[in-house]
Amino acid sequence: MKLYRDEAVVLRTHKLGEADRIITLLTRAHGRVRAVAKGVRRTSSKFGARLEPFSLVDVQLHIGRSLDIITQVESQAPYGRALGADYSLYTTATAMVETAERLTEEEAEPAPQQYLLLVGGLHALATRRHPASLVLDSYLLRSLAVAGWAPSFDDCAQCGRPGPHHAFHVAQGGAVCDRCRPPGSSAPAPQTLELLGALLSGDWPAAESAAQRERDEASGLVAAHLQYHLERQLRSLRHVERV
């Protein structure tokens, strides 16, 4: 009987049969894993409540033929309780876990940086450390950067000419100079590009000092950057309640 143990975030769950669930996990060492949790929908289940979306758990799994089987679960941080009680936090967290799942599409491929980013983002949301919309945009930018799609917000993304520049084009990789600027480029406020740079680098004092107009404009650029690289829209992003 081959067993392994890992830390994991519960990304989502769906029903299987009358009493079981399939749990999609993002683990620290084994990447994204889909596993069966037997009997968790029964009221007598010992660990059904521990396998709610957004929860951070220590989990033991048995390697199965098609899906692994969860044999033990210990709760590390039940973020789902705090996030599920607030609609704005819940929709934000849902967009984050959907992004994590999309960026780790190959199962059992280790993605420790994506795992740590998601844990940090969910913790910041659940503890209300920073405004939810800023946490989301920072998480999206950082997770895309880890995947190899970091945009430039200062130097020209095409020729490297030192910035700041006034134009932004998602397909070109971010900020572009006047010589490289293609048709259809947007012209965000300079403060918006500064905010995006702060969110990518984790400069929270600078990010939180930004005005709401810049925050809204930054969110639009982040969403466009995400959609371009994922090649389709994130379903949950349209439901995010931004305050």
Side-chain angles (χ1 to χ4, degrees):
M1 185 176 183
K2 294 183 179 180
L3 297 172
Y4 66 96
R5 197 172 196 98
D6 208 343
E7 291 180 7
V9 174
V10 179
L11 300 182
R12 64 186 175 98
T13 74
H14 62 268
K15 296 177 181 178
L16 178 67
E18 294 186 359
D20 305 339
R21 286 189 187 276
I22 294 177
I23 313 294
T24 302
L25 303 162
L26 180 58
T27 69
R28 178 190 283 267
H30 296 83
R32 187 167 62 83
V33 173
R34 294 172 70 240
V36 176
K38 293 184 176 293
V40 293
R41 289 162 55 204
R42 297 193 183 102
T43 55
S44 59
S45 171
K46 294 181 179 180
F47 53 74
R50 302 171 193 168
L51 290 170
E52 293 300 314
F54 320 132
S55 297
L56 178 62
V57 295
D58 182 290
V59 60
Q60 180 176 280
L61 302 103
H62 168 231
I63 298 176
R65 291 183 179 179
S66 58
L67 295 173
D68 294 347
I69 298 172
I70 295 173
T71 57
Q72 291 181 19
V73 182
E74 296 296 333
S75 178
Q76 301 294 305
Y79 295 134
R81 296 176 187 172
L83 299 174
D86 183 295
Y87 183 74
S88 176
L89 297 182
Y90 173 80
T91 57
T92 301
T94 300
M96 290 168 63
V97 296
E98 185 183 349
T99 299
E101 185 171 4
R102 294 279 291 278
L103 292 175
T104 56
E105 288 195 332
E106 188 169 344
E107 291 194 20
E109 181 71 27
Q113 288 180 288
Q114 294 289 1
Y115 169 81
L116 292 172
L117 278 174
L118 182 60
V119 171
L122 293 175
H123 176 76
L125 275 185
T127 57
R128 300 174 185 263
R129 179 175 294 181
H130 308 292
S133 61
L134 294 181
V135 171
L136 174 60
D137 288 335
S138 178
Y139 169 75
L140 295 177
L141 287 173
R142 292 185 187 191
S143 60
L144 285 166
V146 167
W149 298 316
S152 174
F153 299 123
D154 189 39
D155 296 344
C156 178
Q158 288 298 294
C159 70
R161 185 181 180 186
H165 300 294
H166 303 296
F168 189 92
H169 195 275
V170 170
Q172 297 296 313
V176 285
C177 67
D178 291 339
R179 290 181 297 185
C180 297
R181 176 179 184 169
S185 298
S186 61
Q191 296 89 338
T192 299
L193 294 179
E194 291 173 6
L195 169 58
L196 288 166
L199 291 173
L200 181 58
S201 66
D203 185 350
W204 288 105
E208 292 182 342
S209 68
Q212 189 61 48
R213 183 166 62 179
E214 281 77 48
R215 295 186 188 189
D216 292 341
E217 189 173 38
S219 294
L221 293 175
V222 172
H225 186 68
L226 179 74
Q227 183 174 339
Y228 176 81
H229 288 291
L230 293 184
E231 297 181 346
R232 59 184 189 270
Q233 192 169 8
L234 202 70
R235 292 190 304 273
S236 55
L237 198 58
R238 72 187 72 167
H239 301 299
V240 171
E241 184 177 274
R242 295 183 180 270
V243 179

